[in-house]
Amino acid sequence: MKYLDEVCKVLSDEVESRYLISRDRWQELTDEVAATSDPSVELFQQAEQSYKEYVRASKEYLAIAFKKKFLER
């Protein structure tokens, strides 16, 4: 368990980055849908897909946070 802190840091940074990117992308698409008077089906699908990625990244972020807390005990 020599490198546990280092590994936790790498995984935390990676999942945080993925979370922030997916959150920002979902927000951009949501704003675009709201600003468009007649959004296309493709735009809705992109927004839906980006929301799914945002949720997936959120779950990964939470999982890493819980694992890190567990290992700190």
Side-chain angles (χ1 to χ4, degrees), residues 14-27 29 45-62:
E14 175 65 26
V15 77
E16 182 176 353
S17 174
R18 195 174 313 137
Y19 168 79
L20 292 171
I21 289 168
S22 65
R23 182 194 67 188
D24 293 346
R25 178 67 178 144
W26 176 65
Q27 188 61 54
L29 287 168
Q45 289 173 339
Q46 287 177 352
E48 184 178 86
Q49 186 61 36
S50 69
Y51 179 73
K52 288 178 183 178
E53 182 58 34
Y54 174 55
V55 170
R56 189 175 9 244
S58 298
K59 288 177 183 179
E60 289 176 19
Y61 187 85
L62 189 60

Side-chain angles (χ1 to χ4, degrees), residues 34-48:
T36 306
S37 61
D38 188 22
S40 67
V41 172
E42 182 180 329
L43 184 58
F44 273 119
Q45 289 173 339
Q46 287 177 352
E48 184 178 86

